[in-house]
Amino acid sequence: MLTSRSRYARWLFPLLLLGMFGWTFSGPSFADGPSTQRPNVLFIAVDDLNDWVGCLGGNPDARTPNIDRFAEQSVLFRNAHCQVALCNASRTSLLTGMYASTTGIYANSLKRASDVYRSATQMPVWFGENGYRTMCMGKIYHHDHGKKAYWDEVGPKTLRWGPEPPDGRQFTKRFGDAVQDSLAWAALDIEPGEMPDEQIATWAKTKLEQDYDQPFFLALGFYKPHVPLTAPKRYYDLFDREKLTMPTVLENDLDDVPEIGKRWVLDRSDLIAEDAVQQYSPTYRRELVHAYHACVALVDDCIGQTLTHLRNSKYADNTIVILFSDHGWHLGEKHHWRKWMPWEESTRSLMAVHAPGVSRDGSVCDRTVGLIDIFPTLAELCELPPPDQLEGESFRHLLSDPQGAWTRPALTSTKAGNHTVRSERWRYIRYRDGSEELYDHEKDPNEWHNLADHPELAPVKQRHAEWIDTLTEGEIIE
């Protein structure tokens, strides 16, 4: 049995049933003691989705009516963050309820999984051991469903990233001597239903039409907007490329970033180091922004199909729905494209939760929760004993009282020894060589001005540094 650092001291006292706001479902409460029927769980993960959705306001051109509608029918966590801004490491933390500093998983390589990770209780296994029928299709683990043994049922295999362009083009673009093998886009002339995410939504609808003699844990992992940025042409046609709002990029944004962070941006194998930020032409940047919007619109459509089917099903009143993204994504901010960085665009995740009879739907919560907190929250919502390994905190009380107390910042790691903590006002980054960044989100939401060298803010840095030391205790730095 693993030793817990989770601060899972006790269960919160049950909360009285609160009225539902904006959700068309009504149903039994799971807040008033043991239930005769435990709630189902619809667990929806989206790959590489940042705050470019209407309800988070990251970009005014976003077309996400279905995600926005669900945000109005749930509690929207506007300050949620991943624990590592990379697919495999983020999902490992989420599905085990442990920090990367405990598992040793900071990257996408599965071969480096530590003994701690292998001995951990995986979330779907835990649900199965507690009487749930577990089902999965799409990307929940880094390699889709992970081990088949984790699930009672897995959906059919798909093309994962979708069909290649009909003209046979490979997903490669060239810029001088630099080669991009993933930051490519294509508007596909294909029929509805040919994209993997569409197939996941279709499969999910068939699962919601079936009868079960036990509660279910249904996990759906949508692939887009992960690169390559391919989507059916009809989603591209929703946008006028020339009128899209481009991210505002500060020309000298990296000047006050410590050398480690600066090199992470500039020293890229697919870019020419010192001229890296010049390799993306204005035309290509606009194309990528257009493609990202199209892919987000595609996944929003698929999420909408799934949620509409749930709403019209017999499971509507007895299903917890959690919708989240595994991490964020840069589209040029801080001169970076993709993810993995310790800054806001990489760490911030979409998260919204609807729990029948518990969540104060139509509310927003600005507490700095992490994806690591999902596992203990589901344990409490489903009235199940949590594994001892969990290092997150249940935010169940925030579902009924979104302005309730929450004392802990969100921790995100970028390689061993490099950590950032996000509180409601501040982001503090400490690199393994001791260099620092500090940003005041009340005055500087773009994180353009590093305040780490301001002596009057030393107490702010100290408080946040103490959280890093507490939450990463025992980390091995090679």
Side-chain angles (χ1 to χ4, degrees):
M1 186 69 71
L2 296 174
T3 300
S4 172
R5 289 197 278 113
S6 78
R7 318 6 126 177
Y8 216 104
R10 65 180 183 272
W11 290 98
L12 295 172
F13 289 106
L15 296 168
L16 295 175
L17 172 65
L18 294 175
M20 306 290 286
F21 297 93
W23 188 256
T24 59
F25 304 162
S26 61
S29 169
F30 302 98
D32 302 322
S35 306
T36 56
Q37 183 181 4
R38 298 195 185 280
N40 305 301
V41 177
L42 177 57
F43 185 85
I44 303 176
V46 186
D47 208 351
D48 289 8
L49 178 62
N50 63 11
D51 63 355
W52 285 24
V53 293
C55 60
L56 291 181
N59 187 288
D61 304 320
R63 296 287 189 93
T64 54
N66 296 294
I67 293 175
D68 299 340
R69 186 176 302 114
F70 179 66
E72 296 171 354
Q73 301 165 345
S74 64
V75 176
L76 174 66
F77 289 86
R78 294 190 298 195
N79 208 352
H81 296 266
C82 67
Q83 275 46 76
V84 184
L86 203 62
C87 297
N88 177 55
S90 174
R91 292 161 188 264
T92 295
S93 177
L94 165 67
L95 294 168
T96 64
M98 296 189 292
Y99 288 109
S101 54
T102 298
T103 65
I105 309 302
Y106 298 91
N108 277 343
S109 173
L110 297 181
K111 294 181 180 180
R112 299 190 64 185
S114 69
D115 291 339
V116 173
Y117 168 65
R118 276 189 278 263
S119 63
T121 299
Q122 308 293 319
M123 186 188 293
V125 175
W126 173 80
F127 267 103
E129 291 173 347
N130 282 278
Y132 276 71
R133 177 168 180 78
T134 58
M135 301 173 284
C136 172
M137 184 172 178
K139 186 177 178 181
I140 295 299
Y141 286 82
H142 184 50
H143 286 171
D144 304 318
H145 53 66
K147 296 179 180 179
K148 281 190 176 181
Y150 292 164
W151 309 90
D152 293 315
E153 180 181 356
V154 296
K157 285 285 189 179
T158 70
L159 288 175
R160 201 174 195 201
W161 309 123
E164 294 209 4
D167 60 7
R169 278 182 295 133
Q170 298 297 308
F171 298 128
T172 301
K173 272 212 171 211
R174 290 187 176 273
F175 311 93
D177 295 329
V179 177
Q180 288 285 17
D181 59 2
S182 63
L183 269 183
W185 63 270
L188 304 176
D189 187 13
I190 59 176
E191 295 297 318
E194 293 188 33
M195 291 298 293
D197 286 348
E198 294 173 309
Q199 294 160 16
I200 292 169
T202 298
W203 181 82
K205 289 186 281 187
T206 67
K207 298 296 107 180
L208 293 171
E209 293 170 354
Q210 295 178 7
D211 296 325
Y212 304 98
D213 58 6
Q214 60 190 126
F216 62 73
F217 177 77
L218 176 58
L220 308 175
F222 292 106
Y223 294 107
K224 296 301 178 183
H226 194 287
V227 294
L229 297 173
T230 54
K233 183 177 180 297
R234 61 185 178 276
Y235 293 104
Y236 278 82
D237 291 343
L238 295 173
F239 306 91
D240 183 337
R241 181 182 296 167
E242 298 310 312
K243 295 182 179 179
L244 290 174
T245 304
M246 298 294 292
T248 302
V249 179
L250 190 67
E251 184 176 353
N252 63 343
D253 199 5
L254 298 179
D255 287 359
D256 59 1
V257 171
E259 192 64 20
I260 291 180
K262 189 180 301 183
R263 297 326 311 176
W264 283 348
V265 174
L266 298 180
D267 288 345
R268 297 289 301 273
S269 61
D270 54 359
L271 298 175
I272 303 172
E274 292 303 328
D275 296 327
V277 296
Q278 304 300 321
Q279 296 303 310
Y280 298 86
S281 71
T283 298
Y284 183 53
R285 294 183 189 196
R286 184 168 291 276
E287 290 174 349
L288 289 178
V289 165
H290 185 193
Y292 191 83
H293 276 305
C295 290
V296 172
L298 162 65
V299 78
D300 176 79
D301 192 1
C302 296
I303 290 169
Q305 293 177 41
T306 303
L307 293 178
T308 297
H309 215 73
L310 171 65
R311 190 160 52 244
N312 294 328
S313 78
K314 58 188 172 185
Y315 301 112
D317 298 335
N318 187 27
T319 300
I320 296 165
V321 181
I322 179 161
L323 170 65
F324 67 93
S325 59
D326 61 350
H327 47 68
W329 182 263
H330 287 247
L331 286 131
E333 302 91 346
K334 275 194 159 25
H335 302 287
H336 181 65
W337 295 82
R338 297 187 180 91
K339 49 205 172 189
W340 192 70
M341 295 299 171
W343 303 308
E344 187 81 356
E345 290 80 9
S346 279
T347 75
R348 192 180 183 196
S349 299
L350 167 72
M351 188 164 73
V353 182
H354 165 71
V358 176
S359 55
R360 188 172 181 176
D361 297 331
S363 300
V364 296
C365 180
D366 291 322
R367 304 296 182 251
T368 50
V369 298
L371 300 186
I372 197 171
D373 302 316
I374 291 175
F375 201 156
T377 301
L378 290 177
E380 189 169 4
L381 286 171
C382 297
E383 300 176 343
L384 298 172
D388 289 342
Q389 72 203 29
L390 300 188
E391 296 179 330
E393 295 278 2
S394 171
F395 55 73
R396 181 199 180 281
H397 69 288
L398 295 178
L399 294 174
S400 55
D401 179 14
Q403 307 310 313
W406 184 263
T407 61
R408 199 165 67 160
L411 171 81
T412 303
S413 302
T414 311
K415 291 187 176 181
N418 304 281
H419 306 287
T420 175
V421 286
R422 178 68 157 87
S423 59
E424 290 188 37
R425 178 173 178 177
W426 303 93
R427 174 179 298 279
Y428 171 72
I429 302 169
R430 187 178 70 191
Y431 296 95
R432 62 188 301 162
D433 65 357
S435 57
E436 301 169 307
E437 294 176 59
L438 180 68
Y439 300 101
D440 182 351
H441 271 259
E442 283 189 3
K443 301 177 181 179
D444 181 24
N446 294 306
E447 299 182 344
W448 283 343
H449 306 293
N450 180 10
L451 306 177
D453 61 352
H454 288 218
E456 70 276 13
L457 296 177
V460 175
K461 292 196 301 180
Q462 181 179 352
R463 289 197 303 271
H464 288 71
E466 288 172 353
W467 275 111
I468 291 178
D469 294 336
T470 298
L471 297 178
T472 65
E473 181 183 1
E475 178 183 34
I476 298 174
I477 303 176
E478 298 176 355

